[in-house]
Amino acid sequence: MTDLAHIRNFAIIAHIDHGKSTLADRLIERCGALQSREMQEQVLDSMDIERERGITIKAQTVRLTYKAQDGETYQLNLIDTPGHVDFSYEVNRSLAACEGSLLVVDASQGVEAQTLANVYQAIDNDHEIVPVLNKIDLPAAEPDRIKTQIEEVIGLDASDSLEISAKTGLGIDDVLEALVTRLPAPNGDRDATLKALLVDSWYDPYLGVVVLVRLRDGILKKGMRIRMMAAGTSHLVERVGIFSPKMTDVGELGPGELGFFTAAIKEVADTSVGDTITDERKPAEEPLPGFKPSIPVVFCGLFPVDSSDYPELRESLAKLRLNDASFHFEPETSAALGFGFRCGFLGLLHLEIVRERLEREFNLDLVTTAPSVIYRLNMNDGSVKELHNPADMPDPVYINSIEEPWIQATILVPDEHLGAVLKLCEDKRGIQTDLTYVGSRAMVGYELPLNEVVFDFYDRLKSVTRGYASFDYEITGYREGKLVKMSIMVNSEPVDALSLVVHEDRAYQRGRQLCERLKELIPRQLFSRRTSAHQRSLRNRP
């Protein structure tokens, strides 16, 4: 059993490609968790897609043993969290399992939008934050400018920030010392009732669901019967262990420690991130705060190119959901595309990852319909309905009003591209809420409708800024809008899979964009487009 004073739980916060996974590699290597022949780049990123794109999709943890300069031996528990906005809830729960964070900022690029979003989550979780300037060995590195930027944009004191190079190993010892001297130790009572935070879970074909937990109070050991407080299910613990980063069995987990357990759980859906685990015989009175179920915000249809692949697609989706409870799907039928599935995702990156995994891991050729969001229909009879699929919209005669989700977006962009970004946001019905300057960069705040963002916003943002803009957002709520259903007709027949809900003022423009794309695939004589909004637009044109 490790003394609480010698335990440090920490996460690494960084924007994409600022060196988070590389720093984790160096810490693992320096603490001797893996031998040099076992080391590889991005050792905590287990999926090929993570390695290829340089992103972290699933939270991973590793226990390191470090002998500090004061002669004491410390247990360091690192959680390598996702960074993208789609997985912000997982990030929040991972940060709730820690007492401190390393804020990694590229010494040449500086603070980005994603850095801001995650560091504010860490501040909300009362973290002690250690600023770390990475890639200090690059000729373009400007540590003094970046320190000033951290203080101005985030409001953290960066005077004692660490200057390192995760690639070469420069300054790694300083990082380890900062972890034990500047981060607080966890609190907990070994004799109290078991109370543990469920940080993450995934499916193992041999062990069932592996559950990653952070213990607050009590102990967890093999043979205990535990209860998931939100799910209301109970299980018998079969195995308890840690990641070092290999799976290693231990006798028990105590307060402040991070580890895993298995209990013959069949589906990841039974283990919700953020749930509280307690002893079934002596349960805790209240769960840990902050739990909420994951809710998909973006929907699209997935159809096999070859209709005979439908059973294989159904089986592949079921296998994929074993490892990803935030992904939802249900059968859907289209007159034009045949049998398929309506799928719900946490965001556009989540959609892209799931689709790519289906095509790569299960060798499927898929047709993906345009992504849409959840709309609220206020009916004339006073009822409220949720609309996931535009093809299911009832007759407008029965609808009083339609509400759409809005987001608060934060965009960081070089000054020379600011005008193009402002025009893009205005074209997307945006409402400017903030504009501040940090050196030669502007930070813009905009309220935007989510359905405009999921269409082509991110691609256009990267295009007009030559890839230099960074973008992050959070959903703020629903607002009423002048929305209409737009149907696409091929050979005078409506294609339900191509239906969209669009703003009335944008219907004509959006229809033309879709038509231009479809004309490349469909002979011109078979193509027509009719919507009530389109007809009104034509009549009103001079």
Side-chain angles (χ1 to χ4, degrees):
M1 183 184 71
T2 306
D3 183 10
L4 280 172
H6 291 152
I7 297 177
R8 299 290 184 273
N9 299 317
F10 70 100
I12 303 177
I13 297 170
H15 188 73
I16 289 172
D17 203 34
H18 278 206
K20 175 162 63 74
S21 295
T22 308
L23 175 57
D25 290 349
R26 296 290 81 77
L27 294 175
I28 292 170
E29 193 174 46
R30 172 65 181 81
C31 292
L34 290 176
Q35 297 179 17
S36 57
R37 60 183 176 83
E38 297 175 301
M39 284 298 300
Q40 57 180 335
E41 291 187 4
Q42 297 170 252
V43 70
L44 294 182
D45 292 338
S46 54
M47 287 189 276
D48 291 338
I49 296 175
E50 291 179 304
R51 297 178 184 280
E52 291 170 13
R53 295 184 175 221
I55 60 176
T56 300
I57 297 169
K58 292 292 290 181
Q60 303 285 344
T61 183
V62 59
R63 177 184 289 190
L64 306 174
T65 301
Y66 172 64
K67 189 169 184 179
Q69 293 178 1
D70 60 7
E72 298 288 342
T73 300
Y74 290 85
Q75 179 193 121
L76 307 179
N77 293 309
L78 160 64
I79 298 182
D80 186 26
T81 60
H84 197 273
V85 62
D86 285 7
F87 310 107
S88 59
Y89 176 61
E90 285 187 36
V91 174
N92 184 278
R93 294 297 85 199
S94 297
L95 295 177
C98 306
E99 286 75 38
S101 299
L102 296 177
L103 172 62
V104 178
V105 180
D106 190 314
S108 56
Q109 294 183 19
V111 175
E112 301 284 2
Q114 205 172 287
T115 316
L116 277 177
N118 289 342
V119 77
Y120 288 148
Q121 286 202 52
I123 292 171
D124 289 342
N125 281 286
D126 297 324
H127 275 208
E128 183 69 33
I129 299 172
V130 178
V132 177
L133 305 186
N134 192 23
K135 305 185 182 181
I136 202 72
D137 56 321
L138 295 181
E142 299 177 85
D144 293 335
R145 180 178 68 85
I146 303 305
K147 286 179 183 178
T148 304
Q149 194 180 85
I150 291 173
E151 292 177 348
E152 291 180 352
V153 177
I154 302 175
L156 291 175
D157 180 12
S159 59
D160 55 353
S161 57
L162 307 175
E163 298 181 10
I164 71 163
S165 170
K167 187 173 183 179
T168 64
L170 176 68
I172 298 300
D173 288 338
D174 295 335
V175 174
L176 289 166
E177 278 300 312
L179 289 173
V180 300
T181 57
R182 293 166 63 174
L183 297 190
N187 297 317
D189 183 358
R190 182 179 175 83
D191 299 322
T193 297
L194 171 64
K195 190 181 284 189
L197 174 68
L198 199 159
V199 179
D200 199 9
S201 60
W202 58 92
Y203 185 79
D204 185 285
Y206 302 103
L207 302 173
V209 177
V210 179
V211 183
L212 182 64
V213 291
R214 154 70 202 274
L215 269 69
R216 296 287 184 187
D217 295 308
I219 59 170
L220 177 67
K221 57 185 177 181
K222 181 179 177 180
M224 285 182 64
R225 192 151 198 92
I226 51 131
R227 172 170 288 275
M228 311 274 187
M229 297 186 74
T233 56
S234 61
H235 307 276
L236 182 68
V237 176
E238 296 180 345
R239 183 179 182 185
V240 175
I242 60 164
F243 292 96
S244 62
K246 300 175 183 176
M247 292 180 77
T248 306
D249 289 354
V250 295
E252 63 180 31
L253 292 173
E257 293 188 316
L258 271 158
F260 74 88
F261 73 86
T262 62
I265 304 171
K266 298 293 190 294
E267 293 188 13
V268 172
D270 297 332
T271 55
S272 302
V273 171
D275 202 346
T276 301
I277 296 168
T278 188
D279 190 337
E280 187 177 45
R281 292 173 299 178
K282 192 174 64 172
E285 294 181 2
E286 292 183 352
L288 296 168
F291 171 75
K292 61 179 181 180
S294 62
I295 301 172
V297 295
V298 174
F299 286 81
C300 80
L302 291 179
F303 296 86
V305 172
D306 186 346
S307 58
S308 63
D309 287 339
Y310 174 76
E312 189 175 346
L313 174 59
R314 180 179 57 204
E315 185 180 332
S316 302
L317 289 170
K319 287 180 179 177
L320 203 60
R321 195 171 189 277
L322 285 175
N323 244 333
D324 189 353
S326 58
F327 162 62
H328 298 261
F329 67 94
E330 59 184 25
E332 180 182 31
T333 306
S334 166
L337 300 176
F339 293 102
F341 292 90
R342 190 77 183 169
C343 304
F345 306 91
L346 297 175
L348 286 178
L349 178 68
H350 191 209
L351 185 159
E352 197 175 333
I353 289 166
V354 169
R355 185 184 63 201
E356 190 168 336
R357 289 187 66 186
L358 286 169
E359 292 178 343
R360 181 184 299 190
E361 297 177 19
F362 301 101
N363 198 27
L364 293 168
D365 290 324
L366 300 174
V367 174
T368 308
T369 63
S372 65
V373 298
I374 303 174
Y375 300 92
R376 286 181 182 166
L377 308 181
N378 298 310
M379 312 303 288
N380 290 333
D381 61 2
S383 62
V384 178
K385 295 182 179 179
E386 285 193 346
L387 180 69
H388 293 202
N389 189 348
D392 297 333
M393 180 179 280
D395 193 311
V397 174
Y398 302 106
I399 301 174
N400 182 38
S401 63
I402 305 176
E403 296 179 357
E404 61 181 335
W406 279 64
I407 63 170
Q408 176 64 52
T410 302
I411 303 170
L412 277 162
V413 60
D415 190 27
E416 64 265 27
H417 301 298
L418 178 60
V421 170
L422 295 178
K423 183 179 183 305
L424 172 62
C425 293
E426 294 296 330
D427 289 345
K428 295 292 187 180
R429 300 190 281 131
I431 302 170
Q432 187 175 325
T433 58
D434 187 29
L435 176 60
T436 55
Y437 284 89
V438 183
S440 62
R441 303 177 71 196
M443 184 169 72
V444 191
Y446 257 94
E447 292 179 344
L448 289 160
L450 184 58
N451 76 333
E452 297 282 357
V453 173
V454 301
F455 185 61
D456 62 352
F457 180 82
Y458 192 69
D459 290 340
R460 288 185 59 189
L461 177 66
K462 289 297 183 182
S463 177
V464 299
T465 62
R466 293 185 295 176
Y468 285 110
S470 61
F471 170 71
D472 198 273
Y473 69 88
E474 62 176 344
I475 296 175
T476 56
Y478 280 77
R479 299 183 190 176
E480 186 177 329
K482 296 192 298 181
L483 302 170
V484 294
K485 175 185 174 183
M486 183 175 73
S487 298
I488 304 294
M489 306 187 79
V490 178
N491 197 19
S492 300
E493 294 292 332
V495 181
D496 50 359
L498 299 179
S499 299
L500 289 173
V501 175
V502 296
H503 194 272
E504 191 174 47
D505 298 340
R506 300 278 191 270
Y508 178 74
Q509 179 185 2
R510 182 72 64 86
R512 286 198 65 171
Q513 290 175 337
L514 285 172
C515 289
E516 292 302 322
R517 294 183 184 181
L518 288 169
K519 281 177 183 177
E520 299 174 4
L521 305 174
I522 302 172
R524 187 183 297 255
Q525 64 270 22
L526 296 180
F527 195 84
S528 65
R529 168 175 35 90
R530 299 173 189 170
T531 69
S532 56
H534 175 229
Q535 297 296 341
R536 285 194 295 271
S537 299
L538 288 178
R539 284 198 296 269
N540 294 333
R541 293 177 72 188

